[in-house]
Amino acid sequence: PGQDLDCLRRDLAEAVKLGVTHISCYNLILEEESRFYQVMADQHLVQKDDAEIRTFWDETAAILEKYGFEQYEISNFAKPGYRCAHNVDTWKGKEYLGIGAAAHSHIQGERFANTSNIEKYTSLFRNGELAESFSERLQGRDKARECAVFWLRLSEGIDSREFAERTGVDLFSLYAKELPWLVERGIIAIDGPMVRVEKEYHPVLDSVLVDLV
């Protein structure tokens, strides 16, 4: 609240001066139990509306592109050769192991999370017990749909050939009804084997992907 475009430009310029090769930019999301949320409520501060957020989004992308960063994912920018491997692998549905309280993992088709309670996690760990608080296993076309929705977060989109190899499902058959409708409206673009969300729809990606879940 209260941040203006000049402040945003200064922040980005200072970040670039540090010589970093990767920058993540997210819209502020306030958790209801956080102190910041309570301060906002007590002081009657108002968050930016959708139009302001879009302006900040476009400005961020334009500035970082000028500095040589590529927007390889909805909220992530990197210099060539410095994309975050974990980000890319996560969106492509590959496996990862999370260690510690509240950590999430994706192993052999199962997604699971450890308890966020540090004392409980430590106690279970010392007793040689699992500290999982959540687990989920999707299969078949449901798993393929999850993979597709995640994968479309990447700016380059989905390589349908790699998708078929990874999931065993043909992308164009999976979305035989949805894709033509989205392409006709200019939301989705298909270029050979590549399927991607057009850049202008990146700021509202979640509302686009809801049709593909």
Side-chain angles (χ1 to χ4, degrees):
Q3 184 183 31
D4 57 26
L5 287 175
D6 285 339
C7 178
L8 172 70
R9 295 181 186 116
R10 289 195 300 272
D11 283 348
L12 292 174
E14 286 299 318
V16 171
K17 286 180 182 178
L18 294 173
V20 297
T21 54
H22 188 287
I23 295 178
S24 297
C25 299
Y26 298 93
N27 288 326
L28 175 65
I29 297 177
L30 294 176
E31 300 296 338
E32 290 192 11
E33 296 182 2
S34 68
R35 183 178 179 185
F36 197 173
Y37 182 91
Q38 192 59 51
V39 170
M40 287 279 292
D42 292 343
Q43 298 184 17
H44 304 289
L45 299 176
V46 179
Q47 289 188 264
K48 289 175 170 46
D49 59 29
D50 290 344
E52 288 179 298
I53 290 173
R54 179 57 188 263
T55 299
F56 271 64
W57 180 289
D58 292 340
E59 187 76 0
T60 297
I63 290 173
L64 291 180
E65 182 178 350
K66 182 183 69 174
Y67 285 122
F69 288 80
E70 56 181 359
Q71 185 178 9
Y72 71 94
E73 190 262 347
I74 297 304
S75 302
N76 289 285
F77 303 78
K79 290 290 184 70
Y82 287 95
R83 295 182 179 188
C84 175
H86 172 70
N87 284 348
V88 174
D89 286 354
T90 297
W91 302 139
K92 288 187 175 183
K94 295 184 180 181
E95 295 186 342
Y96 54 90
L97 175 65
I99 299 173
H104 286 243
S105 302
H106 180 213
I107 304 293
Q108 296 181 346
E110 181 181 4
R111 295 189 182 280
F112 55 94
N114 294 334
T115 176
S116 60
N117 185 302
I118 295 176
E119 292 181 356
K120 183 178 180 181
Y121 174 85
T122 303
S123 175
L124 290 169
F125 184 81
R126 286 174 173 168
N127 292 328
E129 300 179 53
L130 294 177
E132 292 182 16
S133 61
F134 161 84
S135 65
E136 176 184 57
R137 180 181 294 277
L138 298 178
Q139 296 179 333
R141 294 172 75 85
D142 289 336
K143 184 64 176 177
R145 282 180 174 270
E146 178 197 68
C147 184
V149 168
F150 283 166
W151 204 326
L152 282 171
R153 291 185 63 89
L154 295 176
S155 298
E156 64 191 20
I158 301 174
D159 184 327
S160 59
R161 298 163 300 187
E162 186 180 349
F163 180 85
E165 292 176 1
R166 189 173 301 284
T167 66
V169 176
D170 178 72
L171 181 68
F172 299 104
S173 297
L174 181 66
Y175 293 116
K177 293 182 179 180
E178 295 90 342
L179 281 180
W181 183 87
L182 292 167
V183 170
E184 181 181 345
R185 284 156 179 78
I187 299 173
I188 291 281
I190 300 177
D191 183 12
M194 303 302 297
V195 178
R196 70 176 188 279
V197 176
E198 292 285 26
K199 191 172 183 178
E200 64 182 287
Y201 289 95
H202 284 183
V204 292
L205 184 67
D206 288 345
S207 61
V208 171
L209 298 182
V210 71
D211 293 325
L212 303 179
V213 175

